[in-house]
Amino acid sequence: MGLNEKPVQRFGGLWNISFGFFGIQIGFALQNANMSRIFQTLGGSLDDLSYLWIAAPLTGLLVQPIIGHYSDRTWTRFGRRRPYFFAGAVLAALALFVMPDARILWFAALTLWVLDASINVSMEPFRAFVGDMLRKDQHTAGYALQTAFIGAGAVVGSLFPFVLTHLGVSGDALGGIPATVRYSFWFGGAALLLAVLWTVGTTREYSPAEMKAFGEPMLGGPATQPVHALAARGLGASLCWIAAGAGVVVTVPTLGLQKEVYLLGALLIAYGLASIAAILLARGGKADNPLSLIIGDFSGMPTVMKRLALVQFFSWSALFIMWIYTTPVVAQYAFGSSDPTSAAYNAGGDWVGVLFAVYNGVATIVALLVLPRLAARIGKVRTHGIGLLCGALGYASFLVLRDPNLLVLSEIGVGIAWASILAMPYAILASSLPQAKLGIYMGLFNVFIVVPQLLVATVMGSVLKAFFPTEPIWTMAFAAAVMALAALAMLRVPETGNA
């Protein structure tokens, strides 16, 4: 190893770098598997679920690019990324401790907002942290182990309510949020904080001088090139975004759509206005302002990243449909109840935790043992396409399977897709992202995860209410279709090498 290279990280080093993600994912899994049940227990209706879930993607849309931008430009005696994921972990743990004591619906929704914002503050720097700490020839191993921790944490978080039920803890929701869910959230808060503290305490980030010696300098001053390109742009595209948002707002009362669709229109208008402000600031010579820098970097993304954006859009649309609607689907069609206060419904909710544990367990194994070998043989792009097709088949099988035990087979397909979604896009991007902007590009890449979630959250409730208000099973058909479109979109992504 030369003096101008990062040291090779052994397994223990790789473990320490990513272990915090284990705790973060426990909290994320508890949120995904139980929030629909909490909302319905507190009086939320089936067609209100997507509206109540808006908090999660909206916070990601706002938080991740901002945190990525500032973490790229941060250096303190505590490091570059670690202050962010430590602060996020503390806030997320507090939200997990408070949420089970919610007694009214709006407070549960507000706590979800805080929880998801805090998880995003921790999660975004962790993605960039792997790139900071590892040589390029270890990126695949680093992201694979991170994916394994994501899967393992999700297994633990998803299974905990089910295990508590079988240990005799009450899952009865007649008196409010079940005790199994309350204890699980408290456990998750402690696990999240301790896991992140492990990574904070066992790693040392490279200083700016060391990164410069490695040939990967941190961002030392204003990155003016994207801002200069932004200053040369016209306002036409920005006005189109505003017009599209206004069109959505006008369409809501005309078509009788639900009120949450107004949020989608408002976001389109807000982005158009923000881009106009960024362009005007850039034209005025104010190159080093966060708004122009973030929007300039968004406009100047690498080509591979732009093409992967469509893939992310479709694949995360399918995932968000699954997270919102699996509980009512399984409870109604496999356990025979749509009453969220019934024992059968809550048994279905517990079984969803098992199913989510299965797909995350499968993802852990696939990420470590299958994806690296398959990518070496056929390429990362084809590997990801195959993984997405497996997910589409898994969702489609919900339409025909009614035995709860057979739904485990469905989750195997979903688990393969989940492993690929968490690992392969980042492996494909690794060689095209400059180190100095790793945080902002990782944050912007997550915009293409968040936007489809917002679309699902604002539109899916209206679709469900209009066409199949008592048949949530058809949401799985939507998930299968859009996951298949994600696989098709991979045909446009160029192969960047198999290493």
Side-chain angles (χ1 to χ4, degrees), residues 286-327:
K286 299 178 181 178
D288 197 20
N289 70 88
L291 182 62
S292 294
L293 288 168
I294 291 172
I295 292 183
D297 285 329
F298 185 80
S299 303
M301 292 184 299
T303 300
V304 172
M305 186 171 168
K306 291 178 180 178
R307 294 186 179 182
L308 276 171
L310 187 62
V311 179
Q312 294 290 87
F313 177 88
F314 288 129
S315 55
W316 283 87
S317 294
L319 290 170
F320 203 59
I321 290 170
M322 174 187 72
W323 289 329
I324 295 177
Y325 293 107
T326 299
T327 294

Side-chain angles (χ1 to χ4, degrees), residues 187-206:
F187 161 80
L192 188 156
L193 185 58
L194 290 173
V196 172
L197 285 174
W198 178 276
T199 292
V200 170
T202 59
T203 57
R204 183 190 71 84
E205 295 186 69
Y206 298 118

Side-chain angles (χ1 to χ4, degrees), residues 246-293:
V248 170
V249 170
V250 171
T251 301
V252 173
T254 304
L255 298 181
L257 302 176
Q258 290 184 283
K259 59 183 178 299
E260 59 263 28
V261 182
Y262 281 119
L263 177 61
L264 179 61
L267 287 171
L268 293 172
I269 293 171
Y271 177 74
L273 293 173
S275 63
I276 289 175
I279 291 169
L280 294 178
L281 285 169
R283 288 180 181 177
K286 299 178 181 178
D288 197 20
N289 70 88
L291 182 62
S292 294
L293 288 168

Side-chain angles (χ1 to χ4, degrees), residues 345-432:
Y345 185 97
N346 281 281
D350 288 343
W351 188 246
V352 169
V354 175
L355 295 177
F356 281 16
V358 168
Y359 89 71
N360 281 287
V362 169
T364 301
I365 296 170
V366 170
L368 288 178
L369 302 180
V370 178
L371 291 182
R373 291 177 173 85
L374 187 60
R377 290 177 64 90
I378 67 172
K380 296 187 288 290
V381 170
R382 289 195 183 98
T383 297
H384 193 37
I386 291 171
L388 294 172
L389 285 175
C390 290
L393 291 173
Y395 291 133
S397 67
F398 272 84
L399 300 173
V400 295
L401 298 179
R402 294 294 181 266
D403 185 332
N405 295 311
L406 290 180
L407 290 176
V408 171
L409 299 176
S410 305
E411 296 303 319
I412 292 175
V414 174
I416 294 170
W418 182 231
S420 190
I421 289 167
L422 290 175
M424 298 315 297
Y426 298 98
I428 293 169
L429 287 174
S431 63
S432 62

Side-chain angles (χ1 to χ4, degrees), residues 3-214:
L3 294 176
N4 61 342
E5 292 180 290
K6 293 177 185 175
V8 174
Q9 294 284 348
R10 305 301 179 189
F11 182 78
L14 294 173
W15 177 287
N16 293 338
I17 288 167
S18 290
F19 185 70
F21 233 121
F22 173 72
I24 291 172
Q25 198 61 29
I26 290 176
F28 197 52
L30 285 167
Q31 168 189 305
N32 288 341
N34 294 284
M35 285 312 302
S36 288
R37 170 162 47 167
I38 290 173
F39 287 147
Q40 289 189 291
T41 299
L42 295 176
S45 65
L46 179 62
D47 55 319
D48 282 338
L49 288 182
S50 60
Y51 171 69
L52 293 167
W53 271 85
I54 283 175
L58 183 59
T59 51
L61 180 65
L62 298 175
V63 168
Q64 292 222 18
I66 295 171
I67 294 298
H69 169 77
Y70 281 107
S71 71
D72 278 342
R73 303 163 71 84
T74 292
W75 179 255
T76 71
R77 64 191 183 94
F78 301 108
R80 185 187 192 188
R81 315 289 184 187
R82 289 183 300 164
Y84 291 94
F85 52 71
F86 171 72
V90 171
L91 293 173
L94 289 173
L96 285 166
F97 288 136
V98 170
M99 185 175 289
D101 289 324
R103 292 293 180 268
I104 51 180
L105 188 60
W106 71 262
F107 183 75
L110 177 63
T111 311
L112 173 62
W113 193 296
V114 174
L115 173 61
D116 207 81
S118 305
I119 287 176
N120 275 287
V121 169
S122 283
M123 189 181 300
E124 197 286 330
F126 256 109
R127 287 291 191 191
F129 191 55
V130 172
D132 291 347
M133 299 296 293
L134 300 181
R135 297 154 49 113
K136 289 187 181 295
D137 58 1
Q138 288 197 293
H139 281 175
T140 300
Y143 285 118
L145 185 59
Q146 192 175 85
T147 298
F149 276 129
I150 290 171
V155 168
V156 174
S158 299
L159 275 179
F160 210 71
F162 179 82
V163 171
L164 287 177
T165 297
H166 284 267
L167 291 176
V169 179
S170 173
D172 191 344
L174 291 176
I177 296 171
T180 52
V181 175
R182 291 204 312 274
Y183 296 156
S184 296
F185 273 59
W186 294 338
F187 161 80
L192 188 156
L193 185 58
L194 290 173
V196 172
L197 285 174
W198 178 276
T199 292
V200 170
T202 59
T203 57
R204 183 190 71 84
E205 295 186 69
Y206 298 118
S207 69
E210 288 173 311
M211 293 296 284
K212 185 176 181 180
F214 297 147

